[in-house]
Amino acid sequence: MERACLLSSAYWGPIQYYSKLYSYRNVFVEAHEHYVKQTYRNRCVIASPAGTQALTVPIIKPETDKCAMKDIRISDHGNWRHLHWNALESSYRNSPFFEYYADDFLPFYTKQWEFLFDFNEAIRQKVCELIDLSINVVPTDAYGLVGNDDAADDFRTLISPKVTVEADERFACPVYYQVFQNRNGFIPNLSIADLLFNMGPEALLVLRDSVK
């Protein structure tokens, strides 16, 4: 297990993201970077019957482009909570573990959260709890600040929908059961939601095998 790494905040982060949570003793989540659009910070990708589907949390447009991630507020526009939960339920209701975990995640779509960073972290904490992944995760106190550990590995830009997973030499997504695999083929590096609802507690073993 490596010493420390630096990650961006992520909404239902991809398997690549959680492979870092598995690999490192200490994880710092960047709270002070300027918010970046079209990233996993407010978007996840799941498997639908028709293929991949992106779910995006709408945000309230900040007054300045230099708004810190920790200060980004969630918008109530478009009834997105209802739409996201319906999408998760439609995609995974026939998966082996959706009914088992549904009550753990439904509250995230019935309660209003003010800040995106807090919302993301609450989901991350619940996922880690359910798969028994015990790690030390703390937000940064300032941009890029990782305490006294200057050797932390920085994955803030590498883990991105704009960067191919092949660019990450420490990650390879193993094939695991997916509910629509016969229809769509296996789709690697989807949201941790896909891995959790399809594999349940064995998600931890998949994360272990994803680390190169």
Side-chain angles (χ1 to χ4, degrees):
M1 192 177 268
E2 300 287 349
R3 185 168 51 181
C5 76
L6 179 60
L7 300 173
S8 296
S9 177
Y11 171 55
W12 280 108
I15 295 170
Q16 181 189 13
Y17 186 95
Y18 277 80
S19 75
K20 308 310 178 190
L21 295 175
Y22 180 90
S23 300
Y24 288 81
R25 289 190 181 92
N26 297 298
V27 176
F28 296 88
V29 179
E30 182 59 77
H32 294 270
E33 65 182 353
H34 298 157
Y35 175 72
V36 182
K37 300 177 182 178
Q38 299 179 343
T39 65
Y40 292 127
R41 290 161 181 81
N42 71 323
R43 177 189 301 182
C44 70
V45 181
I46 63 173
S48 74
T52 58
Q53 179 179 1
L55 304 178
T56 302
V57 178
I59 65 164
I60 297 173
K61 182 176 175 57
E63 295 181 358
T64 172
D65 291 337
K66 297 182 178 181
C67 184
M69 177 64 197
K70 69 180 181 63
D71 297 324
I72 294 293
R73 286 180 164 82
I74 296 174
S75 171
D76 288 328
H77 178 74
N79 198 23
W80 70 270
R81 292 179 181 85
H82 175 75
L83 295 175
H84 282 211
W85 184 251
N86 276 0
L88 289 167
E89 188 172 32
S90 296
S91 291
Y92 297 112
R93 62 189 168 200
N94 293 323
S95 66
F97 291 94
F98 180 78
E99 288 190 2
Y100 186 78
Y101 293 127
D103 288 345
D104 290 297
F105 292 104
L106 179 58
F108 291 104
Y109 298 94
T110 55
K111 173 186 173 182
Q112 288 188 337
W113 294 75
E114 183 175 4
F115 293 103
L116 177 63
F117 186 90
D118 296 339
F119 180 62
N120 289 351
E121 274 301 285
I123 292 177
R124 197 260 326 145
Q125 289 170 10
K126 178 56 68 175
V127 171
C128 289
E129 172 191 327
L130 293 173
I131 64 175
D132 198 25
L133 181 56
S134 299
I135 46 173
N136 180 40
V137 181
V138 295
T140 57
D141 291 328
Y143 179 72
L145 184 63
V146 291
N148 296 322
D149 193 345
D150 295 330
D153 293 325
D154 188 351
F155 296 104
R156 288 174 296 178
T157 57
L158 184 62
I159 301 177
S160 167
K162 301 175 184 178
V163 179
T164 64
V165 292
E166 288 78 14
D168 186 351
E169 297 179 350
R170 302 187 185 186
F171 172 75
C173 188
V175 175
Y176 59 89
Y177 170 79
Q178 291 178 336
V179 70
F180 300 117
Q181 191 166 346
N182 289 338
R183 182 182 306 183
N184 300 327
F186 177 75
I187 305 173
N189 202 35
L190 291 171
S191 163
I192 192 65
D194 186 84
L195 179 59
L196 180 66
F197 295 141
N198 282 312
M199 298 298 291
E202 292 187 13
L204 196 65
L205 301 179
V206 178
L207 293 179
R208 178 199 65 189
D209 294 341
S210 73
V211 179
K212 295 173 66 176

